[in-house]
Amino acid sequence: MRSRSRRVLVLGGTREARTLASRLDSEPGVEVISSLAGRVREPVLPVGQVRVGGFGGIDGLVHWLRDNEIDAVVDATHPFAARITANAAAATAWIGVPLLVLRRPEWVPGPGDDWHVVPDLVAAAESVTELGERVFLTIGRQGVDAFADASGWFLIRAIDPPEVRMPERSELLLARGPFTVDDEAALMRRYRIDVLVTKNSGGALTSAKLAAARRLGVPVVMVARTPIPDGVASTTDPDVAVDWVLHD
Ligand code: NAP
């Protein structure tokens, strides 16, 4: 018989993490603490306890997990938040705390899609110049500087303004999804977009741009995800993550 609640750290910053935190918060015998990096100025907060800010690398995370007597960690961060995922894998392995990675499923190309899959943003910047002149850049605000010296004109959409160097010929559009396919297609027509750049984040909230690109015959430069670290358990299903916390 467990003498205290099972204390679970949910590494968050995503809708999946908020869903998981809310599900776990209603479970008797589970105490959930969500962690946010603190990058977004007005984040949507999960229910339950929340802490904000980096841990200070692997060492900092190890200390935090020990100090807070964490029994299990679910990494539900964005599929492109590779550093915190690597840190979580290293820190939990070091002190023997179970870790599960919860990742939303990837987008996959369908009939009519013209995707050009690249490994990273540097390769994406090289690829756009070959594909078009008027670029719709939807990679968030981080990494925009990879395109700073690329030729072409850029419509850059992000939730908060990038704090890095941007392409000279560009316009910034601050907006937060979800977006509809009709609106995305209208936006792309209005700006005469001839190539779309995105990261394979997955999820329904921001996938309308892909359907709009298909509809308009616009090629997509798709940045592939970084693989989950070797030996780390993972799922795309929040139900599996809840079961894992309750029964593992
Ligand atoms: P990252 O490159 O993997 O992480 C950089 C550093 O930020 C980490 O080393 C860690 O600092 C801190 N950090 C990241 N996530 C954290 C969390 N959930 N709680 C506490 N500290 C965290 O991550 P990122 O790409 O900058 O993303 C930051 C956050 O934004 C993530 O939580 C992610 O879920 C969310 N997000 C990212 C994207 C994206 O495209 N990358 C999109 C939407 C949301 P320390 O080393 O000091 O611990």
Side-chain angles (χ1 to χ4, degrees):
M1 191 88 181
R2 203 183 289 280
S3 57
R4 65 163 175 81
S5 294
R6 186 167 171 74
R7 289 169 66 82
V8 181
L9 172 66
V10 174
L11 296 168
T14 58
R15 190 167 57 112
E16 290 73 18
R18 290 191 291 277
T19 304
L20 181 66
S22 140
R23 298 266 305 271
L24 293 176
D25 195 60
S26 63
E27 292 289 342
V30 175
E31 194 181 336
V32 58
I33 305 170
S34 294
S35 176
L36 304 179
R39 297 279 156 70
V40 176
R41 295 209 173 115
E42 290 176 31
V44 186
L45 289 174
V47 298
Q49 295 179 59
V50 181
R51 67 162 299 284
V52 181
F55 296 95
I58 298 168
D59 286 0
L61 183 52
V62 162
H63 284 117
W64 193 93
L65 293 172
R66 280 194 174 133
D67 290 350
N68 289 276
E69 300 180 68
I70 296 298
D71 299 302
V73 177
V74 180
D75 170 10
T77 55
H78 190 272
F80 281 85
R83 198 179 326 155
I84 188 69
T85 295
N87 287 359
T92 54
W94 187 357
I95 56 174
V97 169
L99 169 69
L100 179 74
V101 173
L102 172 64
R103 284 276 178 281
R104 65 183 79 143
E106 287 190 312
W107 292 319
V108 288
D113 281 325
D114 177 15
W115 283 19
H116 301 255
V117 178
V118 293
D120 53 36
L121 291 172
V122 173
E126 283 166 10
S127 184
V128 280
T129 44
E130 291 157 20
L131 290 167
E133 162 64 19
R134 295 184 64 83
V135 185
F136 186 17
L137 196 58
T138 64
I139 57 164
R141 66 178 176 150
Q142 294 182 64
V144 169
D145 51 340
F147 297 83
D149 296 320
S151 61
W153 181 90
F154 289 78
L155 175 63
I156 302 169
R157 184 169 68 193
I159 296 175
D160 291 316
E163 288 165 353
V164 294
R165 198 158 71 88
M166 297 202 284
E168 235 167 67
R169 295 171 57 223
S170 60
E171 183 173 327
L172 179 63
L173 180 62
L174 296 181
R176 192 198 290 258
F179 308 102
T180 68
V181 178
D182 285 346
D183 286 349
E184 294 287 62
L187 183 75
M188 288 164 71
R189 266 200 214 97
R190 190 178 330 132
Y191 283 94
R192 294 181 287 114
I193 295 300
D194 55 16
V195 55
L196 166 70
V197 183
T198 188
K199 300 191 284 192
N200 197 334
S201 304
L205 278 186
T206 55
S207 64
K209 61 194 168 193
L210 299 174
R214 186 183 313 132
R215 187 191 284 177
L216 302 177
V218 167
V220 176
V221 176
M222 181 64 72
V223 182
R225 293 181 177 184
T226 318
I228 291 167
D230 281 349
V232 173
S234 68
T235 182
T236 57
D237 184 346
D239 289 341
V240 170
V242 171
D243 274 359
W244 180 86
V245 167
L246 296 180
H247 304 298
D248 246 52

